[in-house]
Amino acid sequence: MTTAPLLLQISDPHFGTEVPTAVRALERLAREHSPDVVVFSGDITQRATRQQFDAARAFADRLGARDVVAIPGNHDIPLFQLGARLLSPYGRYRRAFGDDLEPVFESDAWLVIGVNTTRWYRHEDGEVSTEQIERVAERLSRARPEQVRLVVTHQPVLVTRTEDEKNRLHGREDAVARWSAAGADLILGGHIHLPFVRPLQGAFTPCPRAMWAVQAGTAVSTRLRSGQPNSVNILRRASSMGMSRRSCTVERWDCAMGDDRFVRADVKELLLDDAALSPSLLMHSSSIPSFRGADR
């Protein structure tokens, strides 16, 4: 039996505020599912200290994934050490996760393009430049037809609550329009610690094809919001055998405070190639009861 290619999205772990039981639970989840690639969508640390980056790097290594794609979040730039923020804002990040702040991962199933949306002169807000938009679009244009094409930003392009509107990515309108035309399927994000999957087609004009915002919650941190537990996303590339369209599933896995494992809480199946159907017909959602006996 062939296992579907799998991607694990981890966002906002905020090492320095991590919950040890959630860390161990997430390591266990990764060992059980053996993802092809782990994507860190920013805010890997709380205050960008060496100790926090060392802990985060050691954690990433323990996940045992074949590849890791990481981008910085606003918390990954020193805040109170102004000299480091001005002169070497990504020095500690690079020491832990490498010099490439906008990595690209490619396999038969996935094309993952990282975008550094942080700026040393911004405290929380993120932005994407014209040059970044065009770089991503050019790489998307060279994707293979069978690949699921993902762009990773830290700040979200879409939010679901009025109080989060101030956290949206600056430059998002141009980015969504250009990346949609270039063939993007999903934009993965974090920052607001609120997991959801929503269609971008209809929310942005123009957005000529089916494209989705996939937001992750905070993976292992005490910095929980809106009553949400720690959570991560697992994306599975559906087999193309017998199918005329590409699709993938997005699974949300939750770990309640004090629990010792992540359990699957929600599954959404996304059709990726249709532009004519309404978003409601392109996404099938099913909730999974979050009881401890599930997915052991």
Side-chain angles (χ1 to χ4, degrees), residues 50 134 248 269 282:
R50 278 179 176 263
E134 290 304 313
C248 75
E269 181 178 4
L282 291 169

Side-chain angles (χ1 to χ4, degrees), residues 48-60:
T49 68
R50 278 179 176 263
Q51 293 81 0
Q52 290 168 6
F53 274 121
D54 287 346
R57 180 70 255 185
F59 165 74

Side-chain angles (χ1 to χ4, degrees), residues 106-121:
E106 184 173 20
S107 69
D108 290 341
W110 311 103
L111 174 61
V112 183
I113 305 173
V115 184
N116 177 21
T117 56
T118 64
R119 302 293 187 264
W120 69 266
Y121 51 83

Side-chain angles (χ1 to χ4, degrees), residues 5 7 105-113 140 143-151 183-186 188 212 235-238 246-249 270 272:
L7 179 152
F105 168 83
E106 184 173 20
S107 69
D108 290 341
W110 311 103
L111 174 61
V112 183
I113 305 173
L140 287 167
R144 299 197 295 273
E146 69 275 11
Q147 290 174 320
V148 177
R149 302 177 284 274
L150 305 92
V151 181
D185 296 311
L186 312 172
L188 274 57
W212 308 89
L235 281 66
R236 300 183 194 271
R237 172 70 166 93
R246 294 175 309 124
S247 68
C248 75
T249 60
L270 309 180
L272 303 176

Side-chain angles (χ1 to χ4, degrees), residues 61-268:
D61 292 340
R62 291 194 300 271
L63 296 177
R66 301 182 189 96
D67 288 277
V68 172
V69 172
I71 61 167
N74 52 293
H75 276 262
D76 297 319
I77 300 174
L79 178 61
F80 300 115
Q81 295 173 309
L82 296 182
R85 187 176 184 89
L86 292 172
L87 300 176
S88 184
Y90 302 106
R92 296 168 186 170
Y93 178 93
R94 286 189 164 106
R95 175 177 168 269
F97 287 93
D99 288 333
D100 193 351
L101 303 180
E102 298 187 312
V104 174
F105 168 83
E106 184 173 20
S107 69
D108 290 341
W110 311 103
L111 174 61
V112 183
I113 305 173
V115 184
N116 177 21
T117 56
T118 64
R119 302 293 187 264
W120 69 266
Y121 51 83
R122 290 188 181 276
H123 177 206
E124 294 182 354
D125 288 5
E127 67 179 62
V128 59
S129 68
T130 300
E131 291 75 16
Q132 288 175 306
I133 293 171
E134 290 304 313
R135 176 187 66 82
V136 171
E138 191 279 329
R139 186 62 189 86
L140 287 167
S141 71
R142 294 187 282 115
R144 299 197 295 273
E146 69 275 11
Q147 290 174 320
V148 177
R149 302 177 284 274
L150 305 92
V151 181
V152 187
T153 65
H154 177 56
Q155 288 84 0
V157 297
L158 182 74
V159 297
T160 59
R161 307 183 309 170
T162 302
E163 57 264 42
D164 290 326
E165 289 181 354
K166 63 182 182 299
N167 293 304
R168 289 176 297 177
L169 181 67
H170 295 271
R172 60 190 176 277
E173 294 90 352
D174 291 341
V176 168
R178 185 71 177 93
W179 296 343
S180 174
D185 296 311
L186 312 172
I187 299 181
L188 274 57
H191 189 57
I192 56 176
H193 299 198
L194 184 65
F196 60 79
V197 178
R198 294 290 187 277
L200 293 170
Q201 193 177 34
F204 286 82
T205 303
C207 184
R209 59 191 302 279
M211 191 161 72
W212 308 89
V214 177
Q215 286 289 128
T218 179
V220 297
S221 173
T222 59
R223 292 168 55 90
L224 302 172
R225 297 177 186 169
S226 305
Q228 295 291 327
N230 293 120
S231 68
V232 297
N233 291 328
I234 288 180
L235 281 66
R236 300 183 194 271
R237 172 70 166 93
S239 172
S240 60
M241 295 182 60
M243 296 179 61
S244 60
R245 298 185 296 240
R246 294 175 309 124
S247 68
C248 75
T249 60
V250 180
E251 304 174 0
R252 193 186 83 238
W253 288 71
D254 292 351
C255 183
M257 186 64 69
D259 207 346
D260 63 353
R261 69 181 295 111
F262 281 78
V263 296
R264 189 170 55 182
D266 184 73
V267 181
K268 288 183 169 60

